Amino acid sequence: MEDPLTLALNLMGTFAFGLSGGILAVRKKMDLFGVLVLSVATGLGGGIMRDIILGHTPPATLSDWRYLAVAGLAGLLVFVWYSRVVQHGRFINAFDAVGLSIFTVTGTTIAINAGLSPAPAALLGMLTGVGGGVLRDILGAEVPLIFRSEVYAVASMLGAIIIIVASQTELSGIPAEIIAAIATFSLRMVSVRRGWRIPIAMPKPDPTC
Amino acid sequence: MEDPLTLALNLMGTFAFGLSGGILAVRKKMDLFGVLVLSVATGLGGGIMRDIILGHTPPATLSDWRYLAVAGLAGLLVFVWYSRVVQHGRFINAFDAVGLSIFTVTGTTIAINAGLSPAPAALLGMLTGVGGGVLRDILGAEVPLIFRSEVYAVASMLGAIIIIVASQTELSGIPAEIIAAIATFSLRMVSVRRGWRIPIAMPKPDPTC
Amino acid sequence: MEDPLTLALNLMGTFAFGLSGGILAVRKKMDLFGVLVLSVATGLGGGIMRDIILGHTPPATLSDWRYLAVAGLAGLLVFVWYSRVVQHGRFINAFDAVGLSIFTVTGTTIAINAGLSPAPAALLGMLTGVGGGVLRDILGAEVPLIFRSEVYAVASMLGAIIIIVASQTELSGIPAEIIAAIATFSLRMVSVRRGWRIPIAMPKPDPTC
């Protein structure tokens, strides 16, 4: 059902998320197996959550063994060459942004095709994009990255909104998906480079904290 | 499929849970986006878990955009007027108890209609009632509130049991649901005001702790 | 659909996992209700995750009330006789390994029958085996045990691989399941007794930690 381009991009995204899962696992001093588990959970998590919520079972990332292989390979690479992998931090950020962009776009498109209305479809697309990372941080006992004041989920939201708007017009399909993915990728990368932050609420001191 | 009264109550419960999610997010110094994410996860989480487990996909709270809108609105209110919102702590507790009551009752009823036997149906009703709050605390990296010695899940269990018992008799439908919801609400509110606690086990000192 | 032997073993595994959930809850000073919740989540979690991912809803462990009863009973026993239960640590480890073995074997078999290819089927079998324990540790705000350098998930993987290999040959069905379960059980028990560990990556000091 997936065209070769989408499949290739999806696998690239899975690989990038797999790397990020493996890196957290090594930092947390997990063993080889823990590294692989966290790589696979991060790489496949978002797509599995999307398919479960839509009732598309078994999930696509489990029906096609290549997703599992790519995520596991990423974990193995991190385990063996950790020091080298983390030296290429900017490279990883770019891969990760590719994954975020692709998963957001394909997740939103699949949700629309499943008959969800615009706002829930956007929400499900974002869950596809950020879900793997949230699972990674929960398993690693960290407050999820998307909550730590970075323009991450916002970039995902931008891509989802573009897909939603396009689906209401004649500009849908591949062109809209490419535009949405580039927009998400660009916003994420620029915000990392510029250190953009989202405002946080500044409550007065609160004794119940 | 939902009658107007049930819909209105469900939306009120979603709003109350959305407030509680937003409040935790602000306390954890999350940005605007994190506040919205936690509001939506708390407001919709219980119902989504219930529908996924029953195979009712896509979940009702995603098919109807109003749930998402109400939960997001609650998060926005907390973000903008945090200090004012937390001043009305008792008011929020009441709203939260309304949500717990309604979600427990509707969750148990839906589980019975899906053919579950009594004990699992009660369990699923309780999951619907407390699930959003558990998700909120996991995402916020806290030990879930229901584990911290309060009469919270017990109130939910009371409501679920009333629905189960009623379903075996002639007294089912709207009257039973109202009685169950009032019982859950009352037990929760009285226990908060009186500071009721549930016993905890008192093990001897254990070196493996 | 379950033969009496499988049912008996499954219930034994549920009981063992229920004990482990209750023990963590007592150590975390949770109240009676928290102990029961954690017992049930640990005992039923793996099977529910498996059935949700495969689209087998409602999950088998909720359709049959005995699973819930056995897990709840385990929680109650821990709450009342905590000191005695933890004295039998070796006994619990054995029970837990029984549960891990059985759930891995039945999970992998069910995944193959649902049409998954070998690697994803093994992954899902392992998720069935270790899922309840992961849920237990997330709810208890601990880094999951499977990440803490023990031969736990590896034992599960061994059992899953045996089932996968057997399914491609004439040696499948009950004999293969028994061999796989014994292999998983033995590897787990021997590794606990001998203190076997899996290597962890030794990265150079990393300023971003």
Side-chain angles (χ1 to χ4, degrees), chain C residues 10 46 53 68 95 99 106 111 114 119 130 161 169 191 208:
Chain C
N10 266 335
I53 287 178
L68 184 53
F95 261 112
T106 56
V130 309
I161 289 174
T169 71
S191 73
T208 63

Side-chain angles (χ1 to χ4, degrees), chain C residues 26-143:
Chain C
V26 171
R27 283 188 183 157
K28 290 272 174 173
K29 303 197 187 311
M30 293 179 186
D31 60 34
L32 170 58
F33 213 86
V35 172
L36 293 176
V37 168
L38 220 53
S39 290
V40 169
T42 310
L44 308 190
I48 290 178
M49 289 182 206
R50 176 199 66 210
D51 286 348
I52 286 176
I53 287 178
L54 290 175
H56 296 171
T57 53
T61 50
L62 290 182
S63 302
D64 185 337
W65 63 271
R66 285 173 291 195
Y67 287 98
L68 184 53
V70 161
L73 179 67
L76 205 58
L77 287 177
V78 170
F79 187 79
V80 177
W81 290 299
Y82 178 79
S83 304
R84 285 195 202 172
V85 170
V86 293
Q87 277 175 355
H88 298 81
R90 183 173 299 176
F91 203 57
I92 291 172
N93 261 331
F95 261 112
D96 184 85
V98 168
L100 180 71
S101 311
I102 296 165
F103 287 172
T104 299
V105 165
T106 56
T108 309
T109 304
I110 290 171
I112 291 173
N113 292 341
L116 290 191
S117 48
L123 183 69
L124 203 57
M126 293 168 59
L127 180 67
T128 311
V130 309
V134 171
L135 189 59
R136 172 195 66 213
D137 293 338
I138 289 175
L139 290 173
E142 297 233 314
V143 172

